[in-house]
Amino acid sequence: MGTSAQDPAGHGEGWRQPGQGPPAASEQGQPGPPGSPYAAPPPPPPPRRRRKGCLTCGIAAAVGAVIVLVVIVVLVVSVGGKDESGGSGSSGTPSASAGKGRITKEMYDRVRTGMTEREVTAITGPCESSAEDEVAGIRGKVLTCRGAEAFSAATFTFSNGRLAAKGQVGLGGDAARKGSMTKEKYDRLRTGMSLKEALAVAGACEKDSDTDVAGSSATGYTCTSADGLGNASLVFADGKLTAKAQTGLE
């Protein structure tokens, strides 16, 4: 009862006979019963928010890649130079592949970060291209120059055609290899010290690397013991001691 003959299943007002068409305009504002072909459509999904790109993140990543490349190159060349000076190589003489240049400490000191390759080689003379690569759109190149002193060498790392870092080993000769570093002095060095404070503790040290990338500068020093058998490596970033390492100190 309460159901018309035209609505035998009891669907209600929204029900229509097959072929009868959609509800009248006056009824279209009312949703049909669940399952009805005239039920109201679901609401549209909310618009997706587009994530903004991070241009500075990409730049930072590229700069970081260059800094890592520079540090690796300087460390590898420095270790190679120390191995030669220690006589661990089979020949005990500088490698012929170290380059044709005969760079001196005075030449090395005249080279400044930001110079072009042509400006650098005008001071150092011809040097060998020992590495070339491209990271995140930044072109890197390394020149290796054999030094005038026995078992000495210098490296110059370029980023997009400009000198970003330089490093040397042995250019100071025997005088630079005789310092006063001890384990007791090394233990007194603390990260955060200024360059002046650290060298006041360490004594005579030789500056062996300079890096300048994206406005941040770093320098490296090697401080040897009196017998020449031990040494400490100190790294300063923007004038503050940020890392230290030692070997053979007593």
Side-chain angles (χ1 to χ4, degrees):
M1 294 184 63
T3 303
S4 73
Q6 293 151 341
D7 182 13
H11 292 296
E13 294 180 359
W15 182 81
R16 288 289 184 277
Q17 292 262 5
Q20 194 172 354
S26 61
E27 301 176 12
Q28 288 180 2
Q30 302 294 328
S36 167
Y38 307 115
R48 296 181 60 183
R49 293 184 177 180
R50 297 183 62 185
R51 296 183 62 184
K52 295 182 179 180
C54 182
L55 177 61
T56 56
C57 296
I59 295 174
V63 170
V66 173
I67 293 174
V68 170
L69 176 63
V70 166
V71 172
I72 290 174
V73 169
V74 170
L75 287 178
V76 168
V77 173
S78 296
V79 171
K82 290 175 183 178
D83 288 343
E84 287 179 357
S85 65
S88 62
S90 59
S91 65
T93 58
S95 170
S97 63
K100 298 178 181 180
R102 290 290 184 175
I103 186 172
T104 65
K105 184 65 164 57
E106 182 271 336
M107 292 176 178
Y108 176 85
D109 290 339
R110 286 167 53 196
V111 174
R112 296 285 184 268
T113 55
M115 285 183 170
T116 64
E117 181 178 344
R118 178 175 295 184
E119 290 171 331
V120 171
T121 54
I123 296 172
T124 65
C127 299
E128 180 179 312
S129 176
S130 53
E132 288 189 58
D133 203 353
E134 184 170 329
V135 179
I138 298 177
R139 291 175 291 105
K141 183 176 182 178
V142 180
L143 295 182
T144 301
C145 310
R146 188 169 59 184
E149 294 287 337
F151 312 112
S152 65
T155 60
F156 300 97
T157 303
F158 297 85
S159 172
N160 284 341
R162 295 285 177 176
L163 184 64
K166 66 175 187 174
Q168 66 88 15
V169 58
L171 293 183
D174 292 337
R177 298 188 181 103
K178 295 179 181 179
S180 59
M181 175 58 73
T182 64
K183 184 64 164 57
E184 184 271 334
K185 288 184 177 181
Y186 177 83
D187 291 339
R188 286 165 54 195
L189 295 170
R190 294 287 185 268
T191 56
M193 281 184 168
S194 68
L195 176 61
K196 184 177 180 179
E197 291 170 336
L199 295 185
V201 174
C205 301
E206 183 179 27
K207 186 178 182 180
D208 55 18
S209 67
D210 284 280
T211 304
D212 190 352
V213 177
S216 295
S217 61
T219 56
Y221 285 79
T222 297
C223 314
T224 59
S225 59
D227 58 11
L229 300 179
N231 66 76
S233 296
L234 310 179
V235 177
F236 297 83
D238 297 323
K240 299 292 184 180
L241 181 63
T242 57
K244 65 175 187 174
Q246 67 89 14
T247 180
L249 294 178
E250 296 180 357

